[in-house]
Amino acid sequence: MEKQTALKQYFGHTAFRPGQEVVIDALLNGQDVLGVMPTGAGKSICYQIPALLLPGLTVVISPLISLMKDQVATLTQVGIPAAYINSSLSDAQYQTVFRRATGGAYRILYVAPERLATADFRSLAVQAAVSLVAVDEAHCVSQWGQDFRPSYLKIAAFLDGLPRRPVVGAFTATATAEVSEDIVRLLQLRGPLVVTNGFDRPNLYFEVAEPRHKMTYLSHFLDQHRDQCGIVYCATRKTVETVCAKLREQGVSATCYHAGLGDEERRQNQEAFVYDRETVMVATNAFGMGIDKSNVSFVVHYNMPKNLESYYQEAGRAGRDGEKAHCVLLFSNRDVQMAKFLIRNANANETLSEAEREQVLQRDLMRLEQMVGYCKTTDCLRSYLLEYFGEARILPCGNCGNCKGQFTERDITTEAQKILSAVARVEKRYPSGLGIALVIQMLRGSKGQRVLRLGLDHLSTYGIMRGIDQQTIRSYIDHLISEGYLEQTDGEYPVLRRTVRSSDVLFHGAQVTLKEKQIGRWERASGSRLSKSEIRPADGTAEDGLFQMLRDLRMQLAQKEGVPAYIVFSNAALLDMAARRPRSMAEFLAVSGVGQVKARRYGAQFLRAIRIWAQQGTDTAED
């Protein structure tokens, strides 16, 4: 069988996506590969097709049980014999998989990295004649990545222990140049082909909002995305519980996931989301890596993540089927302090020296600054992300919240002078400095106990910005920091200080302008108004009724077979089906995402549904 035949027969596609074919060719020719490819780019096919064409067994090393189950279910649906070995199997199930794997019954076997160190699995690998090892989520091998897993460091030793070293493919969606170098070195890849397929996801619409009331914004956003499936990420377990409870009170079909839940509750909640019994998952970052759910139409970050790697990976769980999806980050300055707290109080990696731990801390704080920069930039959001990952992009994308938003420039020189004067007087009275919150309270003329105890009410700048709300003053201070007129010290208790440049504004006539997005008062409180084309996938056509009919049929079949709906067919396949309206099996096979096995299994039922829809349309026209 040739690769092109396998692509169509099993996966229903007539052409490879960018980067896939060159990776497949390298693996088939025995060359190691590092593939840095964005989520939704089709990394799995890069090792699944070689697994069909190479002799022996392909072992896929994957960090999460949920991913293994999804992948095996998907492969089984298209007729590729596959299995997994992990802690969810009983002893009897494990022995069955072991026996079948050594007997050549499977083409692909998924395993957790911890399994590689066991004697029984090494025995299996020798007996099954492993020809290809694919390392998924390969960034986990690097301590400089955001998901470091010490167990990934054992992969190289496992490969060395085999009688014949198989070809190795390492795959990840998010890896900076530093992490990519670590992957090659720590997995001991030999002369690898390195394919960086670009990080751009054109189908994702990125947006940053800074609403006064996040919950109100979220409720409005979800109301605009009714009948769509999405994830809401929160920074803490408490926020997850609070947000999920409020959404349920409002009638939203929501469930939650975080590490504080019991194993069984996490499993049940995850399955409720994956099987579309609940449409919204509210979760910490404990949820998601390895979730292969293709019909996620939006990802909302209720809190700002700690770094852009995490943000892009989590946001990238939307739109995996290639359809339009919305990624919005709800930013507040409290998020910055929360992120710093989480970074400073993270569980230390015991394998690192004290100097290395400090290096990791400073790296994480630097990454946080870059994350904050994304939230505050008024330039193209997509360009900001791509440039961070080393992909130069100068032109605005024209399809993000900043590119589509309207901005005005406002002269805030007077406000800046008041703030800088206030900081100068604070520094004179308290050389060690005060934090931003106290400076804002002093400027607004607060009667707070601490303000009065420190005597800030006796400063000449006390109350000079009375009547201006706290959030607005904070935005001025943030702008002065970004422009280099103020700085916020590092450490557990950061304070606000003037820089040398502040004199330009106070004494030398320098002007300060602030670029602001034009939004109405209601939108600032409740969320942005989005056009219909922006908040729904591109299914707003005459085939809307047919698409819904096909989606209902897909759900019935999925429930009958006990698999997630997207494993039957993706949204993209249903949309193509609705547009083509095939009338024969040959035409059905021409639908993108329909392979021979799925055509035999489901073709007659979907063709019948299309005929019924067409007949109903004819009857309506005659009436």
Side-chain angles (χ1 to χ4, degrees):
M1 182 184 295
E2 295 183 348
K3 62 188 178 188
Q4 206 78 35
T5 304
L7 179 68
K8 178 57 186 171
Q9 178 175 329
Y10 290 101
F11 303 101
H13 302 301
T14 56
F16 289 103
R17 295 181 186 178
Q20 287 181 330
E21 191 167 14
V22 66
V23 168
I24 290 168
D25 287 343
L27 293 175
L28 290 176
N29 291 327
Q31 182 181 10
D32 288 355
V33 168
L34 168 59
V36 183
M37 309 169 80
T39 302
K43 292 187 294 293
S44 299
I45 281 180
C46 290
Y47 58 78
Q48 288 169 351
I49 285 185
L52 290 168
L53 305 182
L54 290 170
L57 179 69
T58 289
V59 170
V60 181
I61 300 169
S62 176
L64 292 177
I65 291 174
S66 57
L67 173 63
M68 299 182 197
K69 290 183 176 180
D70 277 0
Q71 291 279 4
V72 168
T74 301
L75 292 170
T76 302
Q77 280 280 317
V78 300
I80 299 175
Y84 56 79
I85 292 178
N86 57 44
S87 58
S88 71
L89 297 182
S90 65
D91 287 342
Q93 290 172 323
Y94 174 75
Q95 293 301 326
T96 298
V97 173
F98 189 104
R99 183 179 68 256
R100 289 176 60 80
T102 54
Y106 304 122
R107 303 301 302 166
I108 301 177
L109 182 65
Y110 286 81
V111 298
E114 294 80 9
R115 184 73 53 174
L116 305 179
T118 63
D120 57 345
F121 187 79
R122 286 198 298 269
S123 172
L124 182 154
V126 171
Q127 294 180 58
V130 175
S131 57
L132 168 63
V133 170
V135 183
D136 204 7
E137 309 289 355
H139 61 272
C140 293
V141 78
S142 172
Q143 67 185 26
W144 309 116
Q146 78 275 18
D147 291 308
F148 174 62
R149 306 285 179 97
S151 55
Y152 266 63
L153 296 173
K154 301 175 182 178
I155 295 175
F158 165 74
L159 295 170
D160 286 341
L162 297 176
R164 185 183 70 82
R165 182 186 182 277
V167 63
V168 180
F171 300 92
T172 180
T174 51
T176 59
E178 182 180 36
V179 172
S180 293
E181 291 172 5
D182 258 5
I183 293 172
V184 172
R185 178 175 58 85
L186 295 169
L187 293 181
Q188 297 179 16
L189 301 183
R190 299 177 182 177
L193 169 70
V194 179
V195 176
T196 302
N197 199 32
F199 290 90
D200 194 11
R201 298 277 305 282
N203 63 313
L204 300 185
Y205 182 90
F206 292 99
E207 182 178 11
V208 175
E210 195 171 352
R212 292 185 186 276
H213 306 290
K214 288 187 178 184
M215 194 63 222
T216 306
Y217 182 105
L218 178 62
S219 299
H220 179 66
F221 181 92
L222 295 180
D223 186 56
Q224 292 179 310
H225 289 74
R226 279 193 299 268
D227 301 325
Q228 291 186 350
C229 190
I231 305 171
V232 178
Y233 279 108
C234 304
T236 67
R237 300 174 187 179
K238 181 179 178 181
T239 308
V240 166
E241 297 280 1
T242 301
V243 170
C244 188
K246 287 182 177 178
L247 290 180
R248 285 171 174 167
E249 288 174 6
Q250 296 168 9
V252 176
S253 175
T255 187
C256 65
Y257 188 104
H258 59 72
L261 300 176
D263 290 346
E264 181 60 21
E265 186 174 3
R266 282 204 309 272
R267 184 191 66 78
Q268 290 178 355
N269 291 355
Q270 178 169 302
E271 287 191 356
F273 178 67
V274 169
Y275 286 80
D276 292 323
R277 293 192 291 271
E278 306 279 6
T279 57
V280 177
M281 171 62 79
V282 186
T284 62
N285 61 6
F287 175 81
M289 189 170 74
I291 298 300
D292 204 24
K293 187 173 171 65
S294 66
N295 62 333
V296 175
S297 296
F298 62 85
V299 170
V300 176
H301 277 81
Y302 197 81
N303 304 110
M304 180 192 69
K306 293 179 288 187
N307 54 64
L308 282 166
E309 286 93 341
S310 296
Y311 174 69
Y312 201 56
Q313 186 178 62
E314 290 159 12
R317 286 164 191 148
R320 292 180 67 121
D321 56 3
E323 293 303 305
K324 290 181 181 179
H326 202 118
C327 306
V328 59
L329 193 163
L330 307 184
F331 175 73
S332 74
N333 287 295
R334 290 183 179 179
D335 292 340
V336 182
Q337 299 308 315
M338 182 187 297
K340 285 184 178 180
F341 175 82
L342 294 173
I343 288 172
R344 293 183 182 281
N345 292 275
N347 292 328
N349 181 357
E350 300 298 333
T351 65
L352 302 181
S353 66
E354 193 62 38
E356 286 175 324
R357 289 180 196 174
E358 180 61 27
Q359 187 179 3
V360 169
L361 172 62
Q362 294 307 316
R363 176 212 66 185
D364 288 347
L365 291 173
M366 180 190 71
R367 286 180 174 175
L368 175 59
E369 287 184 16
Q370 292 161 323
M371 183 73 249
V372 174
Y374 172 82
C375 295
K376 295 185 176 181
T377 186
T378 56
D379 296 327
C380 174
L381 294 172
R382 193 181 309 277
S383 292
Y384 191 103
L385 289 167
L386 296 180
E387 287 169 11
Y388 176 79
F389 288 108
E391 192 171 321
R393 187 185 180 102
I394 300 173
L395 296 176
C397 73
N399 188 39
C400 71
N402 283 3
C403 286
K404 286 198 169 184
Q406 293 184 332
F407 292 86
T408 57
E409 283 198 355
R410 186 157 64 89
D411 188 325
I412 61 164
T413 304
T414 300
E415 291 85 349
Q417 289 171 338
K418 291 177 180 180
I419 292 169
L420 294 173
S421 295
V423 175
R425 280 159 178 75
V426 166
E427 287 179 328
K428 187 174 181 180
R429 181 155 187 164
Y430 295 100
S432 58
L434 295 177
I436 290 177
L438 271 174
V439 172
I440 292 175
Q441 290 176 41
M442 185 265 288
L443 285 164
R444 299 186 69 235
S446 168
K447 300 289 187 181
Q449 185 177 359
R450 194 159 179 227
V451 171
L452 300 179
R453 189 174 71 247
L454 292 172
L456 299 180
D457 56 326
H458 298 305
L459 298 181
S460 60
T461 50
Y462 176 76
I464 60 172
M465 299 186 79
R466 187 180 283 109
I468 302 178
D469 65 87
Q470 180 176 325
Q471 186 168 320
T472 299
I473 298 175
R474 178 61 195 248
S475 69
Y476 295 156
I477 291 174
D478 288 339
H479 185 63
L480 292 172
I481 292 173
S482 66
E483 293 297 306
Y485 298 116
L486 287 173
E487 64 181 7
Q488 189 176 20
T489 63
D490 197 12
E492 190 172 355
Y493 302 103
V495 299
L496 196 60
R497 294 196 178 280
R498 288 182 305 145
T499 67
V500 174
R501 287 195 64 200
S502 65
S503 297
D504 295 342
V505 178
L506 288 172
F507 309 116
H508 304 300
Q511 285 191 313
V512 182
T513 58
L514 176 65
K515 191 176 181 181
E516 294 179 307
K517 183 182 289 187
Q518 288 184 327
I519 56 176
R521 184 179 301 171
W522 179 87
E523 291 172 298
R524 185 182 294 274
S526 302
S528 60
R529 295 186 179 95
L530 307 173
S531 68
K532 190 172 182 180
S533 64
E534 290 174 347
I535 65 173
R536 290 186 60 82
D539 57 4
T541 67
E543 285 74 37
D544 259 357
L546 176 57
F547 173 77
Q548 186 60 49
M549 190 175 186
L550 297 176
R551 197 164 71 162
D552 291 343
L553 173 58
R554 177 183 65 177
M555 178 59 74
Q556 294 169 16
L557 293 171
Q559 290 175 345
K560 182 178 179 181
E561 297 184 7
V563 298
Y566 63 86
I567 286 181
V568 176
F569 284 121
S570 69
N571 280 352
L574 294 188
L575 286 166
D576 194 39
M577 210 179 291
R580 291 175 181 267
R581 283 177 274 173
R583 292 171 295 178
S584 66
M585 190 60 74
E587 291 180 356
F588 190 71
L589 278 164
V591 172
S592 179
V594 176
Q596 291 181 8
V597 172
K598 286 193 175 182
R600 286 196 299 269
R601 181 174 294 172
Y602 305 120
Q605 296 168 87
F606 278 90
L607 287 171
R608 180 175 179 274
I610 293 168
R611 283 196 301 272
I612 291 172
W613 177 84
Q615 184 62 44
Q616 288 174 344
T618 303
D619 292 344
T620 302
E622 290 175 352
D623 292 342

